[in-house]
Amino acid sequence: MSERVIYTVKVEFGDCDPAGIVWFPNFFRWIDAASRHFFAERGVPRWEETAQTLGVIGTPLVDTHTRFVKSASYGDTLQIAVAIPEWRDKSFLQTYRMKRGEDLILECEEVRIFAAKREGGGIRAVPIPPEIRRLCE
Amino acid sequence: MSERVIYTVKVEFGDCDPAGIVWFPNFFRWIDAASRHFFAERGVPRWEETAQTLGVIGTPLVDTHTRFVKSASYGDTLQIAVAIPEWRDKSFLQTYRMKRGEDLILECEEVRIFAAKREGGGIRAVPIPPEIRRLCE
Amino acid sequence: MSERVIYTVKVEFGDCDPAGIVWFPNFFRWIDAASRHFFAERGVPRWEETAQTLGVIGTPLVDTHTRFVKSASYGDTLQIAVAIPEWRDKSFLQTYRMKRGEDLILECEEVRIFAAKREGGGIRAVPIPPEIRRLCE
Amino acid sequence: MSERVIYTVKVEFGDCDPAGIVWFPNFFRWIDAASRHFFAERGVPRWEETAQTLGVIGTPLVDTHTRFVKSASYGDTLQIAVAIPEWRDKSFLQTYRMKRGEDLILECEEVRIFAAKREGGGIRAVPIPPEIRRLCE
């Protein structure tokens, strides 16, 4: 399994809902940023560049299973530990543990693919590019 | 199991990412709106009102498992069929099937709770209010 | 001046902040959707299509002046009246009046341009495409 | 005029639209976070606390005038210089200059008020709390 990469988030007032806690779709904004951050830290270029070189436009989500443990609110600093524990032929697992200090906020396990543009609109899965996998293992 | 309620979404340009498809956290925005829409359709008052009458400030998410089947893009009209297939003591299952015409876009199964404010900040689970359950069965 | 087009928004729980009112960046999400809706109603194709036919990828914002009059909250239905009162050589004015029934929520006046991709990244202004202007006057 | 406070933003993939540039409502997310950051840096407590002590629930926007100069995209680091150049009886001006290195991205001038909850829902303007003004001058 790959080493973890940490992505840090500062929760803002506008990230919270009328109950005063983070509105959960915002957790997914940060998880997606943490996913991209993982690749950036390993030296994977911007998707705009890989679109030219490898045909890869990003890593869309196929499946997510997320367990919310504690709520968070504005002023909190959250740390997300990201890893890729498993590579398959056309997909990979990416996992996230989000904490505020010692408090566990959520755990998330995703299946993602590498995607290319499909003729006529939409996207299609492509095999894992070996040059990207090598950087991330 | 409760009857399904339909929530309709029109996908906008700004809901899409540089790959030209819906950025997945936006799907969760709509799922949350569909969850609230289910309760509104069954006659459950705004959470601001239930906060006064029942102490309930909303139905925060405890667990979500979502499977993304097809991508969507701006101009698409999506329909989300929402149901509550199971009530437990302190939580309930809420499910979503999102379609564009006949195309399945995603399926989502959530565990949610009814929450009250906790003294000193944050939230806590409360037993399912029978008056709300009665409206929703 | 062009006739007004109406874009309707239903305010959701998650659009509101801990003060219980719409968090203002969400008003701009709806204004942008209303801008695109105006063009769609006049028969202007998706930007993905105009990118192929005219090189136009959208109508980015150059200037916005917005006056917020009343707050809104979840459950509200808002109507946005959109118009294009003035066309210039490389830009145009687009205006919005957002109401909840008879209550004025906000007024917004924008300057927008038509943009094409610039070689090497970023965007550049292009002259107003006459075929689009004709549809919108 | 008060000294400027800097708020730093890292642009993420999902902040960008199908044209590959930041979707403008996201700029307003960051401007609002920068506004709150200014108060936090000057020692103003969270609005949840001032709601108890002063009745103040936040600083809603009354008017914004924003000029967009250059586009930004994911991977960019943006710095927002925030100041409060003018205090009035019931409102204040707050200004923002957003830059990427030496490039000016946007300039924004806002009018904001201090707000309290109104009986029966909604909000109302209150006079500038002297203890907050003193911290921010």
Side-chain angles (χ1 to χ4, degrees):
Chain A
M1 178 171 140
S2 64
E3 214 181 318
R4 282 163 188 255
V5 165
I6 304 294
Y7 181 78
T8 300
V9 171
K10 180 84 181 310
V11 181
E12 303 291 353
F13 180 80
D15 298 324
C16 300
D17 64 21
I21 60 174
V22 172
W23 189 47
F24 84 84
N26 290 319
F27 283 125
F28 287 108
R29 287 205 292 112
W30 303 326
I31 283 172
D32 196 60
S35 171
R36 173 61 215 163
H37 179 70
F38 180 94
F39 290 110
E41 285 292 297
R42 296 307 175 89
V44 178
R46 299 170 85 239
W47 303 129
E48 201 168 53
E49 189 178 328
T50 60
Q52 305 301 319
T53 54
L54 302 169
V56 166
I57 60 168
T59 55
L61 196 54
V62 169
D63 192 287
T64 183
H65 190 169
T66 307
R67 194 166 63 88
F68 299 89
V69 181
K70 291 210 166 173
S71 63
S73 190
Y74 65 103
D76 288 353
T77 298
L78 307 178
Q79 297 205 294
I80 310 177
V82 193
I84 296 187
E86 187 182 331
W87 295 88
R88 300 167 180 173
D89 284 352
K90 280 203 164 187
S91 67
F92 61 98
L93 295 191
Q94 199 163 20
T95 60
Y96 310 82
R97 272 178 75 83
M98 189 185 293
K99 298 179 87 174
R100 177 187 50 222
E102 288 308 301
D103 287 345
L104 181 62
I105 301 298
L106 64 81
E107 284 183 309
C108 169
E109 182 177 284
E110 296 177 335
V111 180
R112 288 181 179 250
I113 56 168
F114 284 86
K117 290 248 176 210
R118 192 206 300 273
E119 294 289 314
I123 58 168
R124 61 186 175 80
V126 295
I128 307 285
E131 46 276 80
I132 292 184
R133 177 166 170 175
R134 217 171 300 127
L135 288 167
C136 297
E137 274 177 328
Chain B
M1 177 169 139
S2 64
E3 215 181 318
R4 281 160 189 258
V5 165
I6 304 295
Y7 180 79
T8 301
V9 171
K10 180 83 180 310
V11 181
E12 303 292 353
F13 179 80
D15 297 325
C16 300
D17 65 20
I21 59 175
V22 172
W23 189 48
F24 85 84
N26 289 319
F27 284 125
F28 287 108
R29 286 205 292 113
W30 303 327
I31 283 171
D32 196 60
S35 171
R36 172 64 214 161
H37 179 71
F38 179 94
F39 290 109
E41 286 291 297
R42 295 307 175 88
V44 178
R46 298 170 86 240
W47 304 129
E48 200 168 56
E49 189 178 328
T50 60
Q52 306 300 320
T53 55
L54 302 168
V56 166
I57 60 168
T59 56
L61 196 54
V62 168
D63 191 290
T64 183
H65 189 170
T66 308
R67 194 167 63 89
F68 299 88
V69 181
K70 290 208 168 176
S71 62
S73 190
Y74 65 101
D76 288 351
T77 298
L78 307 179
Q79 297 205 298
I80 310 177
V82 192
I84 296 186
E86 188 183 330
W87 295 88
R88 300 167 180 172
D89 284 353
K90 280 206 164 185
S91 67
F92 60 99
L93 295 190
Q94 198 163 20
T95 59
Y96 310 83
R97 273 177 74 84
M98 189 186 294
K99 299 178 88 175
R100 177 185 51 220
E102 288 308 301
D103 287 344
L104 180 61
I105 301 297
L106 66 79
E107 284 182 310
C108 170
E109 183 177 283
E110 295 177 337
V111 180
R112 287 180 180 250
I113 57 168
F114 284 86
K117 290 248 177 210
R118 190 208 300 274
E119 294 290 314
I123 59 171
R124 62 187 175 81
V126 295
I128 307 284
E131 46 276 80
I132 292 184
R133 177 167 171 173
R134 217 172 299 126
L135 289 167
C136 297
E137 274 176 326
Chain C
M1 178 171 139
S2 64
E3 215 181 317
R4 282 163 188 255
V5 165
I6 304 294
Y7 180 79
T8 301
V9 171
K10 180 81 181 312
V11 182
E12 303 291 354
F13 179 79
D15 298 324
C16 300
D17 64 21
I21 60 174
V22 172
W23 189 48
F24 84 84
N26 289 319
F27 284 125
F28 287 108
R29 288 204 293 113
W30 302 327
I31 283 172
D32 196 61
S35 171
R36 173 63 215 163
H37 179 69
F38 180 94
F39 290 109
E41 285 292 296
R42 295 308 174 88
V44 178
R46 297 170 87 240
W47 304 129
E48 200 168 56
E49 189 178 328
T50 60
Q52 306 300 319
T53 54
L54 302 169
V56 166
I57 59 169
T59 55
L61 196 53
V62 169
D63 192 288
T64 184
H65 189 169
T66 307
R67 195 166 63 89
F68 299 88
V69 180
K70 290 208 167 176
S71 63
S73 190
Y74 66 101
D76 288 352
T77 298
L78 308 178
Q79 297 204 296
I80 310 177
V82 192
I84 296 187
E86 187 183 331
W87 294 89
R88 300 167 180 172
D89 284 354
K90 280 203 164 185
S91 67
F92 60 99
L93 295 191
Q94 197 162 21
T95 60
Y96 310 82
R97 272 178 74 84
M98 189 185 293
K99 299 178 87 174
R100 178 186 50 220
E102 289 308 301
D103 286 345
L104 180 62
I105 301 297
L106 66 80
E107 284 183 309
C108 170
E109 182 178 283
E110 296 177 337
V111 180
R112 286 181 180 250
I113 57 168
F114 285 86
K117 289 248 176 211
R118 192 206 299 274
E119 293 290 314
I123 58 170
R124 63 187 174 80
V126 294
I128 306 285
E131 47 276 79
I132 293 183
R133 178 167 170 174
R134 216 171 299 126
L135 288 166
C136 296
E137 274 177 327
Chain D
M1 178 171 139
S2 63
E3 217 181 316
R4 283 163 187 254
V5 165
I6 304 295
Y7 180 79
T8 300
V9 171
K10 180 83 181 310
V11 182
E12 302 292 352
F13 179 80
D15 297 323
C16 300
D17 65 20
I21 59 175
V22 172
W23 189 47
F24 85 83
N26 290 319
F27 284 125
F28 287 108
R29 286 204 292 112
W30 302 326
I31 283 172
D32 196 60
S35 172
R36 173 63 214 161
H37 179 70
F38 180 93
F39 291 109
E41 286 291 298
R42 295 307 176 88
V44 178
R46 300 169 85 239
W47 304 128
E48 201 168 54
E49 189 179 328
T50 60
Q52 306 301 319
T53 55
L54 302 169
V56 166
I57 60 168
T59 56
L61 196 53
V62 169
D63 191 289
T64 183
H65 189 169
T66 307
R67 194 166 63 89
F68 299 88
V69 180
K70 291 210 167 173
S71 62
S73 190
Y74 65 102
D76 288 351
T77 298
L78 307 179
Q79 297 204 298
I80 309 177
V82 192
I84 295 186
E86 188 183 330
W87 295 88
R88 300 166 180 174
D89 284 354
K90 279 204 166 185
S91 67
F92 60 98
L93 295 189
Q94 198 164 21
T95 60
Y96 310 83
R97 272 177 75 84
M98 189 186 293
K99 299 179 87 174
R100 178 186 49 221
E102 288 309 301
D103 287 345
L104 180 62
I105 301 298
L106 66 79
E107 285 183 309
C108 169
E109 182 177 284
E110 296 177 337
V111 180
R112 287 180 180 251
I113 56 168
F114 284 86
K117 291 248 176 211
R118 191 207 301 273
E119 293 290 314
I123 58 169
R124 60 185 176 82
V126 294
I128 307 284
E131 46 276 79
I132 293 184
R133 177 166 171 176
R134 217 171 300 129
L135 288 167
C136 297
E137 275 177 325

